[in-house]
Structures are given as structure tokens and as C-alpha cells.
Amino acid sequence: MRLAGKTAIVTGGAKGIGAGCVRRLASDGANVVIADIDDASGNALAVELGAAALSVRTDVSQRYAVEALFEAALAAFGAVDILVNNAAFVHQSGVIANFLDYSEEAWQRTLGVNLSGMFYCSQTAARLMARRGEGGIIINISSGGASRAHRHMFGYDTSKGGIEAATRAMALDLAGLNIRVNTVVPGSIRVDQGSSVGDSPIPPSEVIPLARQGEPEDIAAAVAFLASDDAAYITGSRIFVDGGMDAQLRSPSVDFRQDYSEWSV
């Protein structure tokens, strides 16, 4: 129960990686606020976890919605100690496209959720943490696409690169307030939206050194570590949780021109 007495907000927390983080933070003793546009899944998860969980319908691309989210968290639990910026727009129609065909609508929506949403949530959280004077934790969920491009995912990769740059900039600006800011970089993670890598014709053993697809719980473990005092001297850093994918030179025999809607890396 190393997070007992803490309150965490997890954006995109209703399903997939976000839900894994919510469950892990709750199991470590934190109160958790599930911020998601998926009301049904968020409410169901809150019911599963009991009185220490709250679900708030939130479109993080809208500042007014973010402000309402934090007001609800404060009303329920009195403070916000941890923010996990997990919400992301990636797999929906129109987003997976060659750069020549990439639409302005997809660009605006992707950056609105992935970058503006992170900015609105992080600034709101940091201002609350600064006024309270007890420090805090901000954890951003990135992607391998921040440093190695996917085909046909221009907006997504651009936004994730921005998230990693923002992490470093926030870490420097907020260090004097003891607000630590770090990034977790997932690899190929089995999620419950769209198709999973498990359905791909390329077996994980060919692209992942640890020869298995990751689970949301693998990401949640790193998030819980960064949220704890065990990571008290870590800020401005990124932790890869990818089974070794970033460490290897990918085989040219593997055809990566397949439909990337099946990948969450």
C-alpha cells in the first residue's frame, strides 16, 4: 500500500493500458479518478473498485472538461497527487493513412487529444500541486513511434514525439516544486480496442526479444513505480517497457508494411 492516502487521475482510464494503471494504483492504496469518454466502461471499473474510485466522463481535448475533471477529483478526494496522461487518439478511421492522404481533421483530433489534452491536464495538475506545496507526480504514456516511425501514422508519431519533449521541459520547470515528470514507453501491448498483435501473422517471437506480447499490467507496474517514493530521484526520464523491442535492429525479412491498426506500439 505504498500509495495509501494519494489520489491519482488516469486519463483514458476506462480500458486497456489505462484500466491496468487504474487497477494497479488502486491496489497500491491510491484513490483513483478514471477520466474517459467511455462512460459505460469507466463507470463499470469504478463500481468494481468501490469507494476509492470515481469515473468522470472527460474529453481531454477540451480545457473546460479538464477543469471539471479536476474539480470532481478535488470534491471527492481533496487533492490530486498523481496524474497519468494516458488518453490517446490513434486507431479511429482516417488516422491510419499515408502522409499524402492524411486529413486535417485527423491531424487536429490527434493533436487535440494527445498533445493539447496532456498540456491541459498537466498544467491544471501542476498548478494544484504547486499551490499545495507537497510536490506531485506526472507520468506521460508515450510510444515507440516517438523515436521510430510507424508507416501511415504521421499524426500519432508526431504527437508522441511531442509528449517526450514536453516531459523533459516540464521536468525542468517543475523540479523546484518537487513535481516529478517522467515518460513510460510501451511496446506492443495487448489491449481491448481494435485488433491485437496476437491476431497478427507475425508472431511476437520474431519482433519482441522476450517473445511475448506485453499486458496492461506490465505498463501499470512501471507507472506505479514512478508514482512511488522508490522513484524519488527520477525526473525527466523515459522508461521503456517493451520486451526489448527498442534494443534490437528489426529484421529486414519482416514485412512492416502491414496494416498498423493491429499494433498498439
Side-chain angles (χ1 to χ4, degrees):
M1 304 294 285
R2 59 183 175 176
L3 299 179
K6 304 292 185 181
T7 296
I9 291 178
V10 180
T11 69
K15 295 189 295 185
I17 289 173
C21 292
V22 166
R23 290 189 175 96
R24 176 58 187 265
L25 295 173
S27 73
D28 281 359
N31 301 312
V32 288
V33 181
I34 305 157
D36 206 298
I37 60 173
D38 185 345
D39 291 73
S41 297
N43 290 334
L45 182 55
V47 169
E48 171 192 325
L49 296 175
L54 172 69
S55 176
V56 180
R57 189 185 192 283
T58 309
D59 179 353
V60 297
S61 69
Q62 304 298 316
R63 186 182 277 277
Y64 75 86
V66 170
E67 291 173 350
L69 164 67
F70 279 82
E71 288 171 2
L74 291 175
F77 301 118
V80 175
D81 305 283
I82 302 159
L83 169 65
V84 181
N85 285 308
N86 170 72
F89 185 80
V90 54
H91 289 315
Q92 288 82 346
S93 176
V95 176
I96 308 298
N98 186 283
F99 175 72
L100 295 175
D101 300 317
Y102 200 80
S103 70
E104 182 177 355
E105 179 184 5
W107 172 255
Q108 296 294 344
R109 183 59 177 162
T110 301
L111 267 64
V113 174
N114 299 7
L115 275 180
S116 294
M118 180 218 46
F119 166 58
Y120 298 150
C121 290
S122 297
Q123 189 177 67
T124 303
R127 286 173 172 172
L128 289 173
M129 294 169 182
R131 285 197 291 269
R132 190 178 178 206
E134 297 182 12
I137 313 295
I138 297 174
I139 301 166
N140 299 319
I141 305 300
S142 182
S143 163
S147 54
R148 301 185 317 274
H150 299 93
R151 293 179 185 271
H152 302 164
M153 294 181 67
F154 166 72
Y156 180 78
D157 286 353
T158 299
S159 70
K160 292 300 185 177
I163 284 173
E164 295 196 2
T167 296
R168 294 187 292 269
M170 284 193 290
L172 293 184
D173 282 355
L174 300 175
L177 298 167
N178 195 32
I179 299 172
R180 296 189 290 104
V181 189
N182 291 291
T183 297
V184 173
V185 185
S188 175
I189 306 299
R190 191 182 305 277
V191 295
D192 52 4
Q193 57 177 347
S195 299
S196 71
V197 172
D199 300 324
S200 167
I202 300 176
S205 60
E206 290 191 23
V207 293
I208 305 172
L210 288 183
R212 71 169 177 89
Q213 190 178 9
E215 302 291 342
E217 292 77 13
D218 294 313
I219 307 305
V223 167
F225 164 68
L226 290 173
S228 75
D229 288 341
D230 291 338
Y233 200 55
I234 301 175
T235 195
S237 296
R238 57 180 179 165
I239 294 180
F240 286 86
V241 186
D242 65 358
M245 291 179 70
D246 187 69
Q248 72 169 343
L249 177 64
R250 291 182 173 181
S251 170
S253 66
V254 176
D255 182 7
F256 285 98
R257 292 174 293 178
Q258 64 177 301
D259 180 1
Y260 272 81
S261 64
E262 294 188 358
W263 293 77
S264 62
V265 63

